[in-house]
Amino acid sequence: MPVTAIASSNGPIFRTRRLGHVNFFVADLDRATDFYHSTCGLALEFIETGLKASFLGTGNTPHDVGCIETTKGKDRFGRDGHLQLPREVGANPGLNHLAWEIDNEVELIAGYERCLKAGVPISRLADHQIAHSIYMRDPDGNVAEFYVDTIRDWRSVLHGEVDLITSVWDPKAKQPTPEPLYDPAPALRLVETAPFHPRRLASCTLVTRRPDRLAEFYTKVAGLRSLEERDGHHTLCGSDDRHGAHLTIVPAAKGLEPGL
């Protein structure tokens, strides 16, 4: 990842608003879905049966947490037949990707064009019917998704059980909209019977052996702003900083392995 080639005077590649969701590979989809719903208090928004995935949230976004069952040695294909999950990618439980919300589609495509100009590698482009996404890997190999909502009433498109959602996205296929389509004041969906009633996905922590290089990626590429740096620890946030840090980067130490 040629992060150092990106001139700071040109600004970051993307201009991230906030952490949108976290997506996991899980060993047992039903068990994981029940945990995040019945214990963590996230509402079940929709299930993608063809991908073997569930999506749960508080109402702030189409999902705060996504769960995909491990591939178990089989490729999984998207809505248009493209290879969405090679068998080796989701072979084990763990982090699939972190998703960072961009304000509008014009800004997402501007980030895409800056990627091309700066030579920042892109893994894939995806049309999720309710969002457009750009995927890439950070210096530790964690997948970062930069996405924008493409429909305001996303529940009218995705709800209950759906077969397959994702196809390949062409950023040049149509004129992008400059209007933000996320809900700035959504009605929260609480699971009354759960012991916890979360309000939003607040932040995540990445452990790394190269904290400065990872922080460089999330400032120069993701466009997060540094709030504090001390002894190799970095706290960062997007433009929507009402609730504090969105990402904490922690140096690997005894008992801490790199990862989420």
Side-chain angles (χ1 to χ4, degrees):
M1 172 68 68
V3 178
T4 55
I6 303 168
S8 59
S9 60
N10 293 333
I13 295 292
F14 294 100
R15 296 183 173 93
T16 291
R17 179 173 178 259
R18 63 175 175 177
L19 177 64
H21 62 260
V22 178
N23 191 294
F24 300 105
F25 287 112
V26 298
D28 185 320
L29 181 62
D30 291 340
R31 186 179 180 188
T33 302
D34 182 66
F35 170 77
Y36 283 109
H37 176 69
S38 301
T39 300
C40 297
L42 300 180
L44 178 60
E45 296 291 358
F46 55 95
I47 295 173
E48 188 175 1
T49 56
L51 196 66
K52 298 184 179 178
S54 62
F55 301 88
L56 307 98
T58 60
N60 282 281
T61 66
H63 63 286
D64 293 289
V65 170
C67 299
I68 300 180
E69 193 165 275
T70 48
T71 50
K72 296 177 171 59
K74 294 183 179 181
D75 295 332
R76 292 197 190 137
F77 296 88
R79 187 161 57 105
D80 56 359
H82 79 284
L83 180 57
Q84 184 172 346
L85 282 180
R87 67 194 70 183
E88 65 275 8
V89 169
N92 300 304
L95 177 64
N96 181 14
H97 63 257
L98 301 175
W100 303 96
E101 183 187 77
I102 307 301
D103 193 69
N104 60 70
E105 192 173 27
V106 166
E107 188 54 51
L108 181 69
I109 291 179
Y112 167 73
E113 292 172 347
R114 287 190 286 266
C115 281
L116 299 181
K117 185 176 180 180
V120 177
I122 293 172
S123 301
R124 69 186 183 105
L125 305 172
D127 180 348
H128 299 298
Q129 298 187 55
I130 58 172
H132 289 156
S133 301
I134 299 170
Y135 293 85
M136 62 182 62
R137 291 188 179 272
D138 71 20
D140 277 12
N142 304 305
V143 177
E145 173 192 2
F146 299 96
Y147 79 94
V148 64
D149 292 336
T150 57
I151 183 170
R152 195 179 298 280
D153 183 17
W154 51 266
R155 286 196 183 95
S156 67
V157 177
L158 298 181
H159 54 271
E161 292 190 0
V162 293
D163 181 23
L164 288 170
I165 293 169
T166 301
S167 57
V168 175
W169 172 48
D170 179 1
K172 298 180 180 179
K174 65 176 184 178
Q175 191 72 17
T177 175
E179 181 185 4
L181 294 178
Y182 58 81
D183 189 341
L188 297 185
R189 291 165 61 85
L190 301 181
V191 180
E192 297 294 344
T193 55
F196 300 106
H197 296 153
R199 300 181 61 82
R200 70 185 67 83
L201 177 63
S203 64
C204 62
T205 298
L206 290 175
V207 178
T208 178
R209 293 192 175 94
R210 301 176 292 178
D212 292 342
R213 190 175 181 204
L214 207 60
E216 185 180 36
F217 173 88
Y218 283 101
T219 53
K220 290 188 175 182
V221 176
L224 300 181
R225 177 169 57 90
S226 176
L227 297 178
E228 184 179 17
E229 177 187 349
R230 182 182 301 176
D231 299 327
H233 293 67
H234 297 261
T235 55
L236 310 167
C237 73
S239 61
D240 184 358
D241 58 2
R242 293 172 295 170
H243 308 298
H246 296 140
L247 175 65
T248 303
I249 295 172
V250 176
K254 186 177 180 180
L256 284 178
E257 291 296 322
L260 184 67

